[in-house]
Amino acid sequence: RDFSVLVTSAARIYAAGAHFGSTYDGAQGAMTTAFTLVSSAPASVVAVSAGEEHVAFLDSQGRVWVWGRNAEGQCGVDPSSARSFASPVRLSALDGKEITAVAAGGWHTLALARDGSVWCFGKNSDGQCGAEGRRVIAPPVRISPELFGGMSAVSVAAGQSHSFVATSKVRLRPARDPFELFLWFGLDCGRFLAFGKLRFCPARFHI
């Protein structure tokens, strides 16, 4: 919200806009219209994603880094121990997972591992982390593969209060329909799938 981040060809992160507690230019709570180097980030960034008030990015070793507000666990750390991070920190809970992509939603984050597993952390009040009965998820948990057909994920994306996972089936299928896309969030599934129960419901799309 009110800020932008980008990665250059030199594998460095630059940011502009609201600082939401960040100190990337040494001015907490200030605003800037010029993109400023996030000097505390490693010089090996390959991907970055911005949420409402947090940022997640990936380095060349498949490690996840985060910074910004963590009031909902969106940085992957229990908010009772840290409400925000003023500069990037490595999310050690995902070390060794060989993460290949990250997607920051409103107040949650998805991480895709090389083995096709998907990990989520942060706000889950609308089921955006694919789990029932937990409002906040931190540290990261693996999303049950059953939510996306038991298949390996190839791509992830996150919105304000919802999540997407694209899968590629291992078994043969027509070339015109090589992928499936799954979406989940909290809703009254009685309108669609169940019988009036409030459930966290994955919806499937062929693309």
Side-chain angles (χ1 to χ4, degrees):
R1 181 180 65 187
D2 302 330
F3 69 96
S4 299
V5 289
L6 58 84
V7 178
T8 68
S9 58
R12 301 306 303 267
I13 288 184
Y14 284 74
H19 294 195
F20 54 86
S22 167
T23 55
Y24 57 76
D25 72 347
Q28 183 171 352
M31 300 277 289
T32 177
T33 57
F35 277 90
T36 306
L37 174 68
V38 183
S39 58
S40 54
S44 57
V45 180
V46 297
V48 64
S49 183
E52 186 78 4
E53 296 178 310
H54 75 292
V55 174
F57 63 92
L58 190 64
D59 69 19
S60 59
Q61 298 181 54
R63 300 179 302 184
V64 176
W65 296 70
V66 293
W67 96 86
R69 298 207 188 281
N70 185 55
E72 302 288 350
Q74 61 264 56
C75 287
V77 176
D78 187 334
S80 66
S81 62
R83 302 285 290 181
S84 65
F85 295 96
S87 57
V89 295
R90 195 176 86 247
L91 183 53
S92 59
L94 290 176
D95 283 358
K97 304 293 190 218
E98 292 189 86
I99 302 301
T100 60
V102 290
W107 293 274
H108 73 292
T109 310
L110 297 173
L112 172 65
R114 188 173 302 280
D115 64 4
S117 62
V118 180
W119 300 74
C120 189
F121 45 96
K123 188 175 182 179
N124 184 57
S125 58
D126 292 306
Q128 53 266 59
C129 281
E132 295 188 66
R134 297 177 63 183
R135 194 187 72 81
V136 171
I137 292 180
V141 297
R142 182 177 180 179
I143 295 175
S144 171
E146 295 306 311
L147 282 181
F148 42 95
M151 296 174 285
S152 294
V154 296
S155 182
V156 293
Q160 188 81 350
S161 300
H162 56 282
S163 300
F164 288 92
V165 171
T167 67
S168 180
K169 285 189 175 180
V170 175
R171 61 180 180 272
L172 295 177
R173 58 183 299 154
R176 69 177 184 277
D177 191 20
F179 298 102
E180 287 191 327
L181 179 67
F182 292 80
L183 161 70
W184 63 86
F185 47 86
L187 48 77
D188 180 357
C189 290
R191 293 172 295 171
F192 302 97
L193 302 174
F195 298 92
K197 286 186 177 181
L198 181 64
R199 297 175 57 191
F200 300 109
C201 310
R204 176 181 295 188
F205 305 88
H206 291 280
I207 56 174

